[in-house]
């Protein structure tokens, strides 16, 4: 089947299988920042935005995204680089596998909440797991980033 998706501001017409999931469709089409870890909606590494809202792309059938606006980290590169500098400074980036999904979640949170408390940040990031660095450094980096 054919779907049309707006990906990072570019309209794409893609041929997919009816049972394909968005994470795989994106990766197959070159958006390799989208990482798949668990493939069952529990790790957050595949987070992208649909119509500006963060979603776990491993659990969204591509067909359901027909006509929607998809954003991957490639689409918010400048902002992502700024946040990444704060994460690096706190030693958060080790294997780096979780980082694109984490960044997409934090940037969505920044748009959605203002003056977030530490508790609100922790709650928003519940779905983004990191097996390497723990979460204290992430929290410090995110707070500094939001205060910038
Ligand atoms: S790969 Fe999607 S949540 Fe883990
Ligand atoms: S830095 Fe390795 S999983 Fe987060």
């Amino acid at each position: 089947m054919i779907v049309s998706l707006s990906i990072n501001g570019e309209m794409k017409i893609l041929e997919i299988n009816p049972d394909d999931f968005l994470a795989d469709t994106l990766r197959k089409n070159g958006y390799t920042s989208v990482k798949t870890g668990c493939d069952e909606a529990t790790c957050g590494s595949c987070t992208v935005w649909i119509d500006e809202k963060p979603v776990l792309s491993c659990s969204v059938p591509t067909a359901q995204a027909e006509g929607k606006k998809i954003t991957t980290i490639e689409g918010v590169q400048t902002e992502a680089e700024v946040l990444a500098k704060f994460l690096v400074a706190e030693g958060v980036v080790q294997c780096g596998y979780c980082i694109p999904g984490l960044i997409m979640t934090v940037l969505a949170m920044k748009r959605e909440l203002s003056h977030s408390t530490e508790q609100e940040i922790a709650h928003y990031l519940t779905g983004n797991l990191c097996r390497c660095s723990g979460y204290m450094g992430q929290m410090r980096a995110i707070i500094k980033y939001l205060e910038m």
Side-chain angles (χ1 to χ4, degrees):
M1 66 184 285
I2 300 290
V3 287
S4 47
L5 307 174
S6 163
I7 306 177
N8 300 331
E10 267 184 86
M11 189 51 76
K12 301 276 183 181
I13 311 288
L14 305 175
E15 186 166 358
I16 61 161
N17 294 316
D19 55 355
D20 282 351
F21 284 92
L22 185 57
D24 298 320
T25 301
L26 289 168
R27 287 185 57 79
K28 271 185 211 154
N29 285 281
Y31 302 93
T32 51
S33 69
V34 182
K35 305 300 183 201
T36 49
C38 64
D39 246 345
E40 52 186 30
T42 56
C43 77
S45 64
C46 64
T47 305
V48 302
W49 300 346
I50 295 184
D51 293 342
E52 309 284 331
K53 297 285 176 213
V55 297
L56 300 173
S57 59
C58 71
S59 65
V60 176
T62 307
Q64 274 183 20
E66 163 69 29
K68 306 248 171 147
K69 182 179 161 192
I70 315 296
T71 308
T72 70
I73 203 169
E74 290 91 346
V76 284
Q77 197 171 342
T78 306
E79 261 183 284
E81 282 173 7
V82 175
L83 172 54
K85 283 185 186 151
F86 284 88
L87 295 170
V88 168
E90 292 294 340
V92 170
V93 182
Q94 293 189 28
C95 81
Y97 202 80
C98 67
I99 299 298
L102 174 67
I103 287 177
M104 293 309 287
T105 304
V106 174
L107 295 182
M109 180 185 72
K110 189 175 178 221
R111 284 160 170 72
E112 202 175 311
L113 308 177
S114 51
H115 309 297
S116 324
T117 62
E118 197 169 320
Q119 211 175 11
E120 285 170 328
I121 296 170
H123 181 70
Y124 204 98
L125 298 181
T126 307
N128 289 84
L129 305 185
C130 176
R131 66 181 180 180
C132 300
S133 66
Y135 302 100
M136 298 307 288
Q138 281 186 7
M139 184 61 76
R140 285 193 299 275
I142 292 163
I143 288 171
K144 287 179 186 169
Y145 169 71
L146 294 174
E147 284 172 353
M148 182 181 62

